[in-house]
Amino acid sequence: MEEVARLRILVLGGDGYLGWPTALHLSRRGHDVGVVDNFVRRQYDHEMGVDSLVPIRQLQHRVRTWEDVSGLRMETYIGDLTDAAFVERTLERFEPEAIVHFAEQRSAPYSMIDRSHAVYTQTNNVVGTLNLLYAIAERDRSIHLVKLGTMGEYGTPNIDIEEGFLEITHKGRTDVLPYPKQPGSFYHLSKVHDSHNIQFACRIWGLRATDLNQGIVYGQETGETVLHPDLATRFDYDGIFGTVLNRFCVQAVVGHPLTVYGKGGQTRGMLDIRDTLACVELALTNPAAEGEFRVFNQFTESFSVSQMAALVADTYPGTVRIEHVEDPRVEKEEHYYRAAHTKLLDLGLVPHLLEAPTIQSLVAVVDRHRDRVDFDAIRPSVQWRKTTSALRAAVGTNAL
Ligand SMILES: NC(=O)c1ccc[n+]([C@@H]2O[C@H](COP(=O)([O-])OP(=O)(O)OC[C@H]3O[C@@H](n4cnc5c(N)ncnc54)[C@H](O)[C@@H]3O)[C@@H](O)[C@H]2O)c1
């Protein structure tokens, strides 16, 4: 393994789908890793009556297993980023040189259930990030913040999407300005608000930050999680938290038609979970300069929803039906999509592209847990056009 500079890295949201494997990866690469989480993601499962397809162990158990397997320790800090005192205390105790921030409510449908879920999502995400910015500014402004944003911040404009900034000439004058954002849910809007707050903090306090506008992630296994079954990360396929390719693989395995929303021309940037880990590490080991707010578009390929469905149908050995269902979202079902994503490649990212072996390995993961699939959880239940959607498990339930 090549030599890397050892950093003290705090992973916020380290009990989640991406945070956990990222923490393991960074630990294995020789960094000192601390994990922060308040387990609210597990609570959303209880609220919605759904579960990760792949069983996941409690964080403390996973951390102990990692120590047994690798001999490497990770510190854990259990608390809520919306609690400013907790955030300050954690930074004081761990003294990070870098922070990777995954700890947000990340489901667009969840944020669109009703008013209270929208308010919860924006409060959790925006306030958590603001508390973090203040804690960094007050404690140590040299800490590099690597924040997970989303490609969904940009929406689907009819021009090329650039990496964060756009050169604009207006009435004969030219400037490089933040790329206009047209997000598609209150969740995506929370990320836009975060981006503005982070950029402002870099400008006024000289903080250093990298905003990773990430595409939709697929996959479940990484070089570290496969070392022991108890190190597994979650795998969501339900209509609220499931990401599209993961959901299609589950549908193929259980003989359910692949449910394409609307025409299926919705095109999005995608990446393999192993590339998420590599991108975060590249951002950490090539930090932003003092006062710099930089944006990387973190995805490797784009596909339309129909293309993804066809890819799964063509790869899966059995018969697969594709069904177009009414699109519960308000989004363009056919549109222009071309987004720049060169900055991480320039830093050395070597992508895992979406080819048959990747889909086969995903299908194999699903096959091992097929008896845990809850068919009822797959159908979309949240309607963008309504201000309140009735959920199967949530009659009379209020947001957290
Ligand atoms: N999964 C994807 O395809 C994808 C795509 C683009 C961007 N992202 C972004 O990456 C990040 C991680 O995504 P994920 O899929 O791992 O989500 P996840 O929900 O599995 O993980 C997020 C973790 O953060 C924790 N958390 C949430 N709010 C918290 C708070 N206030 N205090 C402490 N902990 C809190 C949750 O308990 C959870 O463990 C998110 O910010 C998400 O928006 C994910």
Side-chain angles (χ1 to χ4, degrees):
M1 196 180 290
E2 101 230 34
E3 275 287 304
V4 285
R6 189 180 165 132
L7 292 169
R8 286 185 68 71
I9 305 169
L10 205 51
V11 178
L12 313 182
D15 188 47
Y17 169 50
L18 300 176
W20 172 244
T22 302
L24 293 183
H25 178 71
L26 294 173
S27 171
R28 194 185 195 186
R29 297 283 288 168
H31 302 291
D32 288 325
V33 176
V35 170
V36 175
D37 212 290
N38 66 348
F39 306 131
V40 73
R41 176 67 189 87
R42 294 173 186 255
Q43 213 174 314
Y44 306 145
D45 278 349
H46 294 310
E47 183 195 3
M48 299 290 127
V50 297
D51 205 354
S52 163
L53 180 72
V54 178
I56 50 165
R57 305 302 301 257
Q58 288 185 341
L59 178 64
Q60 290 82 352
H61 181 91
R62 300 205 279 194
V63 167
R64 278 198 303 275
T65 306
W66 178 239
E67 195 174 338
D68 292 344
V69 167
S70 68
L72 298 163
R73 287 178 69 91
M74 288 194 290
E75 289 172 41
T76 52
Y77 298 87
I78 308 310
D80 190 329
L81 295 190
T82 63
D83 172 356
F86 165 74
V87 179
E88 284 159 20
R89 225 170 31 243
T90 304
L91 264 57
E92 191 183 313
R93 289 199 186 143
F94 186 74
E95 297 188 327
E97 292 164 283
I99 298 177
V100 189
H101 179 13
F102 290 100
E104 298 204 327
Q105 192 299 98
R106 71 109 173 115
S107 158
Y110 187 91
S111 76
M112 300 300 291
I113 293 172
D114 58 14
R115 185 198 58 79
S116 64
H117 289 81
V119 170
Y120 164 75
T121 299
Q122 293 214 350
T123 307
N124 186 61
N125 296 0
V126 177
V127 173
T129 299
L130 257 181
N131 284 343
L132 183 63
L133 292 171
Y134 266 88
I136 294 173
E138 282 166 5
R139 162 122 218 118
D140 177 1
R141 294 184 183 190
S142 71
I143 295 171
H144 177 210
L145 172 62
V146 175
K147 163 70 168 51
L148 271 292
T150 153
M151 284 301 292
E153 291 184 41
Y154 298 114
T156 52
N158 200 30
I159 58 170
D160 284 17
I161 294 170
E162 304 301 334
E163 291 198 78
F165 299 90
L166 181 65
E167 187 179 299
I168 299 178
T169 301
H170 178 63
K171 295 186 177 170
R173 300 183 66 82
T174 299
D175 205 347
V176 177
L177 298 169
Y179 195 96
K181 306 280 179 80
Q182 300 180 88
S185 73
F186 286 120
Y187 151 69
H188 289 103
L189 274 155
S190 75
K191 295 287 197 186
V192 174
H193 304 328
D194 282 342
S195 295
H196 287 146
N197 288 342
I198 299 167
Q199 184 177 21
F200 182 68
C202 290
R203 186 145 48 87
I204 59 169
W205 295 325
L207 303 195
R208 53 177 89 221
T210 305
D211 202 1
L212 297 174
N213 281 342
Q214 181 168 246
I216 302 170
V217 183
Y218 56 83
Q220 193 266 340
E221 292 180 331
T222 69
E224 291 75 33
T225 63
V226 294
L227 295 175
H228 193 288
D230 290 357
L231 295 175
T233 195
R234 51 182 312 127
F235 183 95
D236 299 305
Y237 64 95
D238 62 273
I240 293 190
F241 280 93
T243 52
V244 59
L245 190 71
N246 290 359
R247 194 179 76 235
F248 284 161
C249 290
V250 170
Q251 290 176 320
V253 170
V254 300
H256 190 291
L258 311 192
T259 44
V260 170
Y261 296 171
K263 292 183 183 144
Q266 304 90 320
T267 303
R268 302 287 184 265
M270 312 276 300
L271 75 162
D272 188 300
I273 189 170
R274 294 167 293 181
D275 291 340
T276 293
L277 276 41
C279 290
V280 167
E281 190 184 6
L282 283 169
L284 286 164
T285 50
N286 299 275
E290 194 184 305
E292 185 185 11
F293 170 76
R294 57 180 193 178
V295 180
F296 295 166
N297 289 347
Q298 179 167 307
F299 71 98
T300 56
E301 296 174 279
S302 6
F303 294 95
S304 72
V305 176
S306 287
Q307 282 172 329
M308 273 181 273
L311 214 53
V312 173
D314 292 346
T315 310
Y316 190 71
T319 312
V320 175
R321 248 182 355 105
I322 296 175
E323 188 178 282
H324 289 258
V325 299
E326 194 190 333
D327 193 343
R329 303 181 179 217
V330 177
E331 61 187 356
K332 291 179 200 151
E333 293 178 17
E334 281 171 335
H335 56 88
Y336 177 77
Y337 196 80
R338 210 166 81 117
H341 57 109
T342 55
K343 292 188 184 172
L344 285 158
L345 295 171
D346 291 346
L347 289 179
L349 175 68
V350 183
H352 294 85
L353 297 181
L354 182 54
E355 284 158 2
T358 306
I359 294 182
Q360 282 154 0
S361 73
L362 252 175
V363 162
V365 169
V366 175
D367 212 25
R368 283 202 292 278
H369 303 283
R370 61 188 301 158
D371 55 328
R372 288 172 54 89
V373 174
D374 174 355
F375 279 64
D376 211 26
I378 297 176
R379 82 184 158 80
S381 50
V382 179
Q383 296 289 332
W384 261 234
R385 288 171 183 80
K386 297 183 180 170
T387 55
T388 303
S389 293
L391 301 171
R392 63 167 188 164
V395 182
T397 301
N398 294 309
L400 302 151

